[in-house]
Amino acid sequence: MEVTHEAIQEWMVSGGFSLDTKEQVRQAIDIVDLVGNYVQLRRQGRGYVGLCPWHDDTRPSLQVNPERQSWKCWVCDLGGDIFSFIMKIEGVEFREALEMLAERAGIPLERRRAAQTGPPTTPEAKARDRQTLLRAMAWAEAQYHGCLEHRPEAEPARQYLKQRGITPQSIERFHLGFAPDQSSWIRRQAESGKVPEAVLEAIGLLVPRADGTHYERFRGRLLFSIRDTQGRPVGFGGRVLPEVDCATPAAKYVNSPETLLFTKSNCLYGLDVAKDAIRRAKDRVALVMEGYTDVIMAHQHGFDSAVAVLGTALGPRHIQVLRRMADRVVLVLDGDEAGQRRATEVLELFVAQDVDLHILTLPESTDPCDFLEEHGTDGFRDLLNREAIDAVEHAFRTATRGIDLADDVHGASQALDRMVALLAKAPRPAGAKRFREEKILSRLAARFGVPETDIRARLAQLRRGKRRPVYTSPAEPAPAGAAVGLQQLYRRAPGQCELVELLIAFSELLDQAREVFSAEQITEAPLAQIYETICRLADEGTTPDFDRLMLEFDQADMKNLLVELDQSPRIEGITDPVPLLKELIENYKRTKSDKQHPSQLAALKDEGLDESQKQQLLRSVMEELRARHGISDPTDG
């Protein structure tokens, strides 16, 4: 059987999953239940509404349509189906969204492979295949975890965990493991598991030497499994144990290198365990700590929203992940000078991304794990409630440390300027956030003894001086090159939009429409894609309705456009669509005729035409004009 280029492209976009598989998952998941896990919904008419998680929503803007199994926020111009909702809220591609939803529904996924493609067979091909690497990581995690629990050489690791107060339940929950201090332990396991060395290298377990041999990255280390938000292992953090005489001494902690699966700036340790707790909590607070054992100990004491960075500074991607789930982030820092420096480093980032940040600095020379062991759950909760200060207060204390605000005019002026410069990095506030900024400015004016109008003027000056915004919220205009929305399409090609809207709602009109409109005549690319798909489905004997079209497109922007077209108020309430189609056809013909007339009239002046050709051309123009204005042909007599 010949496989077309289009078939291969469609297979690649959908991750190799058939339309039947996508339809099975779509039918198994109710969109109200799905969205309701992330957003509190309430019934409104025939649908549901909730506060949109992607902009500062004070009145419910997110609409969920249970009949169409679709969702839409008209403020953000985001919408789609169950797949695009998971893509947006979890920050994943279509294939991962499909896998997550299939797992939720208990549906096994079967891939449909194009005839000329198949599973990777060579070690090199396997090392480039994401699914192969995910399976290899899951296998490796199981090997290391089994070693920690049962092998005699892992006794020092078990004793270390016991001394740190980490329970067997946490060892299971966080999939802890141990890599023996042996030169080829994981390779020997891989031989029986038939995992090629190229794959072990691709997931970061083996490190190549210059002579072509390998050594094992994590030998002699306690391993902390780093998982993605779907709970799949993608990397490891390894701690060397004092009791193990490691043959390859290195840093105290070593993380997996950057791989196809693992990017440090995208991952937070424990987020796969913490994300549901963060979303379910009334206050939706995430605790961000610095160490693996800090997170585990926090969970043991009931602080299930704790996560940790992976030996790197908290970055923009981490904050984007957190702000999708949490309303507030509490940065829990060790009580040393380095902890204070880290607070200052990330402060501007949080302000620029407009996240409600609080900072908790532990007592000197204490980390969260030690504090929890010594003071317990109540002691840590009391410290959180008493000492976690908001980012602005922390910035004020940092900026004014060692400055006498009453007498040191120069120092106070510099401190105030630093504070205003920090506020200027945030996007211009709207809604409830404007009130928050008002309170902050009032606070600064009172503390520094400066007129509030002066502070406002300086803030406005700094904001005007910025060449581009540090952060663009979803409610602001999309950047150049972003997907085109329906409003833009309507301004450029209203007739084409109306035609596609009409065909989505009334697919029975397609035959009449195709007599006049070809796909080439639809000049707007997204609309042309939809029109071509409608025609192809009809030719295959499939009804090209809204539900089927949503399955045909995996891209989030196309799903959003389909929802907008489906919910267009111009179509709502139409019972007889035929006159509207006729009007569209007439408008199209009239526009086409208007474009032809100048060239036809110019042709009448062409000296190369004989008299009979000119007469024929003139009659053609007159007939078109009469038909347009409803004038009948003249009769003799």
Side-chain angles (χ1 to χ4, degrees):
M1 175 177 123
E2 182 183 356
V3 179
T4 65
H5 172 73
E6 289 76 12
I8 293 175
Q9 286 294 106
E10 190 275 330
W11 173 80
M12 289 173 66
V13 168
S14 64
F17 296 107
S18 67
L19 285 169
D20 289 342
T21 300
K22 292 190 280 186
E23 172 63 7
Q24 190 180 5
V25 172
R26 190 186 71 85
Q27 290 188 3
I29 302 288
D30 179 71
I31 196 166
V32 176
D33 291 339
L34 177 68
V35 177
N37 283 336
Y38 297 86
V39 178
Q40 187 173 352
L41 298 175
R42 63 175 172 82
R43 169 76 77 169
Q44 186 177 86
R46 297 169 68 179
Y48 291 82
V49 296
L51 296 176
C52 175
W54 297 294
H55 76 276
D56 184 24
D57 200 4
T58 55
R59 57 182 183 180
S61 301
L62 186 70
Q63 300 175 1
V64 180
N65 187 330
E67 295 176 9
R68 307 300 267 173
Q69 287 294 293
S70 64
W71 62 276
K72 180 70 184 176
C73 173
W74 298 96
V75 176
C76 295
D77 192 21
L78 296 170
D81 56 6
I82 57 171
F83 301 111
S84 54
F85 183 82
I86 289 296
M87 289 165 70
K88 178 65 179 173
I89 199 86
E90 294 286 359
V92 298
E93 298 299 321
F94 175 82
R95 176 185 52 74
E96 293 172 295
L98 176 60
E99 290 172 349
M100 292 172 68
L101 290 168
E103 184 178 353
R104 174 189 173 96
I107 296 173
L109 291 180
E110 294 183 4
R111 286 180 178 274
R112 176 193 64 199
R113 291 188 171 89
Q116 294 171 342
T117 64
T121 54
T122 67
E124 293 75 17
K126 289 180 178 180
R128 296 189 299 269
D129 180 67
R130 183 177 173 83
Q131 292 305 311
T132 299
L133 300 186
L134 283 168
R135 287 192 294 270
M137 278 298 304
W139 169 86
E141 181 191 70
Q143 301 304 308
Y144 290 130
H145 181 66
C147 178
L148 175 64
E149 291 200 315
H150 306 298
R151 299 288 288 262
E153 55 264 52
E155 183 61 26
R158 291 192 288 268
Q159 289 301 317
Y160 170 80
L161 292 171
K162 187 176 181 179
Q163 291 165 10
R164 294 304 308 258
I166 293 175
T167 65
Q169 292 79 11
S170 289
I171 292 173
E172 286 290 331
R173 189 182 190 194
F174 288 91
H175 310 276
L176 303 187
F178 180 71
D181 186 24
Q182 299 172 16
S183 61
S184 57
W185 187 85
I186 195 65
R187 276 179 288 187
R188 290 200 305 272
Q189 314 308 310
E191 288 171 4
S192 59
K194 297 182 179 179
V195 181
E197 282 194 2
V199 172
L200 295 180
E201 183 181 336
I203 59 177
L205 301 186
L206 296 185
V207 183
R209 292 189 176 100
D211 62 2
T213 61
H214 294 84
Y215 67 89
E216 298 194 5
R217 184 183 303 274
F218 295 110
R219 57 182 294 186
R221 292 177 181 271
L222 174 67
L223 296 185
F224 299 86
S225 180
I226 300 166
R227 295 182 150 220
D228 63 14
T229 55
Q230 298 176 54
R232 301 176 302 187
V234 293
F236 292 105
R239 188 199 193 284
V240 69
L241 297 176
E243 298 84 355
V244 177
D245 184 18
C246 189
T248 55
K252 182 178 177 180
Y253 281 97
V254 171
N255 284 329
S256 290
E258 301 278 306
T259 68
L260 282 175
L261 303 181
F262 177 63
T263 305
K264 257 194 310 191
S265 61
N266 289 351
C267 293
L268 288 160
Y269 180 70
L271 187 59
D272 60 306
V273 180
K275 64 176 184 176
D276 289 338
I278 295 171
R279 286 173 174 145
R280 284 196 305 265
K282 187 177 180 181
D283 52 4
R284 287 168 54 95
V285 172
L287 302 177
V288 179
M289 299 179 174
E290 296 187 79
Y292 301 113
T293 54
D294 294 333
V295 169
I296 295 171
M297 190 60 67
H299 280 255
Q300 285 184 188
H301 283 80
F303 299 96
D304 292 337
S305 64
V307 299
V309 290
L310 304 171
T312 183
L314 207 62
R317 177 63 184 149
H318 294 134
I319 295 173
Q320 289 170 14
V321 171
L322 287 169
R323 76 196 304 270
R324 289 203 307 265
M325 304 175 186
D327 293 332
R328 175 180 297 173
V329 174
V330 178
L331 195 58
V332 183
L333 297 171
D334 295 353
D336 54 19
E337 187 178 342
Q340 291 298 316
R341 282 199 308 271
R342 284 188 288 275
T344 304
E345 288 166 4
V346 302
L347 194 56
E348 289 189 4
L349 192 59
F350 273 93
V351 171
Q353 296 233 17
D354 201 18
V355 175
D356 184 10
L357 171 69
H358 281 58
I359 295 172
L360 172 64
T361 302
L362 296 175
E364 189 174 352
S365 303
T366 308
D367 62 26
C369 186
D370 293 335
F371 189 91
L372 283 162
E373 280 192 283
E374 185 177 347
H375 299 281
T377 302
D378 291 339
F380 188 72
R381 181 175 289 112
D382 180 63
L383 191 71
L384 269 174
N385 293 335
R386 189 179 69 252
E387 299 293 338
I389 58 176
D390 69 71
V392 174
E393 179 63 25
H394 183 276
F396 174 80
R397 294 183 186 182
T398 302
T400 59
R401 188 174 294 125
I403 296 174
D404 186 336
L405 296 182
D407 296 330
D408 187 352
V409 176
H410 179 69
S413 177
Q414 286 187 319
L416 177 57
D417 211 45
R418 285 196 293 272
M419 288 293 300
V420 178
L422 182 66
L423 290 178
K425 293 180 182 295
R428 195 177 299 276
K433 290 179 181 175
R434 182 176 297 174
F435 176 73
R436 181 169 175 261
E437 184 177 277
E438 299 277 341
K439 298 292 288 182
I440 292 171
L441 295 177
S442 177
R443 246 163 79 189
L444 291 179
R447 290 194 172 192
F448 284 96
V450 175
E452 191 174 325
T453 52
D454 291 355
I455 299 178
R456 289 181 185 280
R458 178 59 177 151
L459 178 61
Q461 181 185 29
L462 288 172
R463 279 182 171 153
R464 282 196 303 271
K466 288 194 302 180
R467 294 186 180 180
R468 58 174 178 237
V470 177
Y471 170 76
T472 302
S473 72
E476 292 174 345
V484 177
L486 185 58
Q487 288 186 353
Q488 291 171 276
L489 292 174
Y490 247 98
R491 285 194 291 270
R492 298 202 303 237
Q496 296 177 27
C497 292
E498 290 179 355
L499 173 67
V500 177
E501 283 176 350
L502 199 61
L503 293 179
I504 291 174
F506 304 98
S507 57
E508 65 272 16
L509 298 178
L510 181 59
D511 288 342
Q512 289 175 257
R514 291 179 81 172
E515 291 176 4
V516 179
F517 301 102
S518 66
E520 292 74 23
Q521 291 164 326
I522 310 295
T523 57
E524 295 295 336
L527 298 174
Q529 277 186 274
I530 296 171
Y531 186 72
E532 288 172 352
T533 304
I534 291 172
C535 293
R536 175 177 58 78
L537 290 173
D539 292 341
E540 294 170 355
T542 301
T543 302
D545 57 14
F546 173 75
D547 288 342
R548 181 52 188 260
L549 288 170
M550 289 294 279
L551 287 177
E552 289 287 328
F553 294 96
D554 297 341
Q555 304 93 328
D557 57 327
M558 290 299 289
K559 288 180 180 290
N560 179 42
L561 179 58
L562 282 166
V563 170
E564 289 187 287
L565 291 164
D566 178 60
Q567 297 186 15
S568 170
R570 289 169 286 270
I571 300 299
E572 190 176 353
I574 292 177
T575 54
D576 182 8
V578 175
L580 183 53
L581 177 62
K582 288 181 177 178
E583 183 181 339
L584 287 173
I585 291 172
E586 288 301 318
N587 288 341
Y588 169 73
K589 289 180 175 179
R590 185 181 301 116
T591 303
K592 184 179 178 182
S593 175
D594 287 342
K595 290 179 180 178
Q596 289 176 339
H597 283 162
S599 60
Q600 290 173 329
L601 294 173
L604 288 173
K605 300 177 182 180
D606 190 343
E607 297 299 331
L609 295 178
D610 60 31
E611 193 60 32
S612 63
Q613 289 174 319
K614 290 183 178 180
Q615 288 294 327
Q616 185 177 355
L617 187 58
L618 183 59
R619 279 196 298 272
S620 174
V621 173
M622 294 301 294
E623 285 171 4
E624 286 181 8
L625 290 171
R626 288 194 191 99
R628 179 184 300 184
H629 295 289
I631 303 172
S632 59
D633 291 338
T635 56
D636 295 333

